[in-house]
Amino acid sequence: MVRVRFAPSPTGYLHIGSVRTALFNWLYARSQGGVFILRIEDTDQKRSSDVYMQEILTDLKWLGLNWDEGPYFQAKRFDVYKACAQNLLEKGLAYKDGEAIIFKIPDEKIKIYDLVHGEIEVDNTLIDDLVLMKSDGSPAYNFACVVDDIEMRISHVIRGDDHVSNTNKQVALYSALGVKPPKFAHIPLILGPDKAPLSKRFGAVSITDYRSMGYLPQAIVNYLSLLGWSPGDNKEFMSVSEIVKRFSLKRINKTGAEFNQDKLRWINGEHIRKLSLDEFVKIGMEFIHSPATETKAGSVSISQACRPEKLVKLECDEKWFRRFAELYHYRVKTLVEFKEEFGIFMSDEVQYNEEAVEKFLKKDKVSSILSITRERLEKLDPFTQENIEKESRALIKELKIESADLIHPLRVAVTGKAVSAGVFEVLALLGKDRVVTRLERVLTQT
């Protein structure tokens, strides 16, 4: 049976590269009807933190990467490692150096067949002997890893290319312990646009950060599955169940995969559109209520626009929120964008895009046009999308101007932006009082 593991260290948050490793292991287990094991490599007690550990578990659950066994903790298994090291010591395959136990690396060439890269040959005569147990009584990484993989009956070790250099040492340990090593599959590293290993500058932030930026878990799974693997037909948008059905180690690439933030946003937008309106309303409302979310530079302040009293008021008008969600369901690519649009509707103050103001509000005759528009809209009853559009079209004809001469300045005046949903729909949702107030402020200031 296929048995794979994901073994994070709780010394930091889960980043894109680590999650992609977890995902490939999970996908392989699910595609083969196998077992996905979670092992926490917490032997470094000084750097390990329960906060990080809990965050790792939360992130994996949020992404849907459920495990079948574990979590197992290496910190609770020191006696197992000591016994194994003592066994190698007694067999003469290791020696003492003070309180430390050192493994004698055999002087031989090691051949490894990697499921991604093919045959790899390493000359072990060129490497130093290997620490098994440190002088403080804790196990070294390579030793604990091998012992655990043996005891947990791991059939396939799927991990990043950066671990290729450990494999020859671990294979030597398997041989010394009299156990056939598992099959290895080293997946390509994730690269930034500069072709260097992914850095924070290009997206190497934690999964928690992506969650707060409004990405859906299924979109992250979809996108990360494409970083180093291909379904074979250039298809990019897929459900998680479809990815599981199509996943194969044979289709993992040998070369590094470039992380593209724009493609992630596109895929996220596609998954948002795939949601039913009911699902989007529920997810959108939950996200708006969430306290820790990021907003783009220059956008409305969500902390101000979504004050608790605003949200309480909104909860009393689910019909309005549903209309708002329906208007932006197919327009946003992240939930942060959705929350920003909500902030524009609910805030008492509008933050104006300087470029939009310069382009649309500072033209000749704009003040006059907006002044007349304000008067007409204030008298409009009922203040519906249909009536707003009818009155605006009539005014455009009456003033003998182009539609853009009214619509663009009106949009900027009430939203602060040059781009929005349909302006007449936006005005109707904003409501007469808010529209008139915003127009008056613009007219006062321009």
Side-chain angles (χ1 to χ4, degrees):
M1 173 183 280
V2 166
R3 291 176 62 84
V4 296
R5 46 74 167 178
F6 175 54
S9 297
T11 55
Y13 296 110
L14 276 186
H15 291 266
I16 287 294
S18 298
V19 172
R20 199 271 307 263
T21 297
L23 174 61
F24 278 29
N25 277 278
W26 184 85
L27 287 171
Y28 190 59
R30 294 295 171 260
S31 68
Q32 300 298 311
V35 176
F36 178 60
I37 298 165
L38 178 61
R39 183 170 78 217
I40 306 298
E41 298 191 338
D42 55 350
T43 57
D44 188 344
Q45 290 293 286
K46 290 182 179 179
R47 295 177 60 225
S48 295
S49 163
D50 187 61
V51 172
Y52 290 134
M53 195 269 290
Q54 293 300 328
E55 194 69 34
I56 288 169
L57 300 182
T58 298
D59 286 344
L60 290 174
K61 289 176 183 176
W62 179 69
L63 289 166
L65 305 184
N66 53 307
W67 52 91
D68 305 301
E69 291 184 17
Y72 297 112
F73 297 90
Q74 287 188 332
K76 297 179 180 180
R77 294 171 50 79
F78 278 23
D79 288 346
V80 175
Y81 309 132
K82 288 176 183 176
C84 256
Q86 186 63 35
N87 179 263
L88 290 174
L89 196 62
E90 292 170 359
K91 289 181 177 180
L93 299 175
Y95 58 90
K96 280 272 204 142
D97 182 5
E99 294 298 313
I101 300 177
I102 313 296
F103 175 62
K104 299 175 183 177
I105 293 286
D107 291 337
E108 60 185 6
K109 290 183 177 180
I110 298 280
K111 285 187 177 181
I112 305 155
Y113 183 79
D114 189 275
L115 295 174
V116 175
H117 298 282
E119 189 174 280
I120 301 172
E121 185 176 85
V122 182
D123 188 351
N124 273 3
T125 63
L126 303 177
I127 65 172
D128 296 330
D129 288 347
L130 190 67
V131 175
L132 300 181
M133 300 297 295
K134 301 175 186 177
S135 56
D136 63 2
S138 65
Y141 164 76
N142 282 299
F143 183 54
C145 179
V146 167
V147 171
D148 285 345
D149 285 347
I150 291 172
E151 292 216 346
M152 296 173 190
R153 307 189 313 282
I154 300 301
S155 65
H156 294 72
V157 172
I158 305 169
R159 57 190 180 186
D161 269 351
D162 52 330
H163 282 285
V164 169
S165 60
N166 291 323
T167 308
N168 58 303
K169 304 167 190 174
Q170 293 176 4
V171 167
L173 278 172
Y174 279 108
S175 179
L177 292 168
V179 178
K180 182 180 178 181
K183 294 178 180 179
F184 293 96
H186 289 91
I187 55 183
L189 298 181
I190 300 176
L191 308 176
D194 57 354
K195 308 302 180 185
L198 191 63
S199 63
K200 287 186 178 180
R201 178 185 174 193
F202 294 118
V205 294
S206 71
I207 288 301
T208 302
D209 290 331
Y210 279 103
R211 186 176 185 176
S212 73
M213 288 189 285
Y215 288 90
L216 302 181
Q218 60 267 39
I220 294 176
V221 167
N222 184 172
Y223 180 65
L224 289 184
S225 71
L226 300 173
L227 291 181
W229 170 82
S230 168
D233 56 5
N234 295 320
K235 188 172 184 181
E236 294 183 322
F237 176 77
M238 292 177 283
S239 67
V240 176
S241 59
E242 183 179 2
I243 297 168
V244 168
K245 289 178 183 178
R246 304 179 71 168
F247 188 79
S248 165
L249 294 179
K250 294 178 181 179
R251 299 207 64 85
I252 293 178
N253 301 323
K254 295 181 180 181
T255 56
E258 184 178 322
F259 184 85
N260 186 311
Q261 189 82 44
D262 290 336
K263 182 171 282 189
L264 173 57
R265 287 186 69 254
W266 173 78
I267 286 179
N268 197 66
E270 292 300 303
H271 279 279
I272 285 177
R273 282 185 276 280
K274 190 72 172 177
L275 297 171
S276 69
L277 181 59
D278 287 341
E279 290 172 326
F280 183 62
V281 167
K282 181 176 183 295
I283 290 172
M285 176 64 78
E286 289 173 351
F287 193 80
I288 284 173
H289 276 278
S290 62
T293 53
E294 297 183 12
T295 60
K296 297 176 185 175
S299 65
V300 68
S301 170
I302 297 305
S303 61
Q304 294 299 314
C306 301
R307 291 191 295 268
E309 62 267 24
K310 296 289 186 183
L311 297 177
V312 171
K313 180 181 178 182
L314 178 63
E315 287 173 351
C316 299
D317 195 353
E318 294 179 5
K319 185 178 179 181
W320 182 94
F321 187 78
R322 188 177 180 84
R323 286 173 59 206
F324 168 74
E326 187 172 18
L327 184 60
Y328 283 95
H329 186 186
Y330 293 96
R331 295 177 181 275
V332 298
K333 291 184 178 178
T334 69
L335 295 177
V336 157
E337 291 177 14
F338 181 67
K339 191 168 184 175
E340 287 173 344
E341 294 295 344
F342 174 75
I344 290 171
F345 276 78
M346 301 306 294
S347 179
D348 291 331
E349 295 183 4
V350 181
Q351 291 192 4
Y352 290 91
N353 179 279
E354 292 181 8
E355 189 176 325
V357 169
E358 194 67 33
K359 185 175 181 180
F360 296 113
L361 295 186
K362 293 193 175 180
K363 285 184 176 180
D364 292 340
K365 299 182 180 179
V366 166
S367 292
S368 175
I369 293 171
L370 289 181
S371 180
I372 297 170
T373 303
R374 185 200 65 77
E375 292 174 7
R376 298 290 178 89
L377 292 178
E378 190 171 22
K379 295 174 182 178
L380 202 59
D381 190 33
F383 198 74
T384 62
Q385 176 189 336
E386 183 181 3
N387 285 346
I388 294 167
E389 183 169 4
K390 183 178 179 181
E391 187 65 34
S392 298
R393 299 294 181 194
L395 183 57
I396 288 167
K397 188 175 181 180
E398 179 184 324
L399 296 177
K400 298 179 180 179
I401 58 176
E402 298 292 330
S403 296
D405 294 332
L406 171 61
I407 291 174
H408 291 321
L410 182 57
R411 175 182 283 113
V412 176
V414 298
T415 69
K417 305 193 305 178
V419 179
S420 73
V423 68
F424 306 122
E425 297 169 283
V426 168
L427 293 179
L429 271 176
L430 276 168
K432 183 193 293 186
D433 291 345
R434 211 168 237 131
V435 169
V436 170
T437 298
R438 292 183 181 186
L439 285 171
E440 287 174 346
R441 284 179 183 171
V442 167
L443 291 167
T444 302
Q445 296 168 8
T446 56

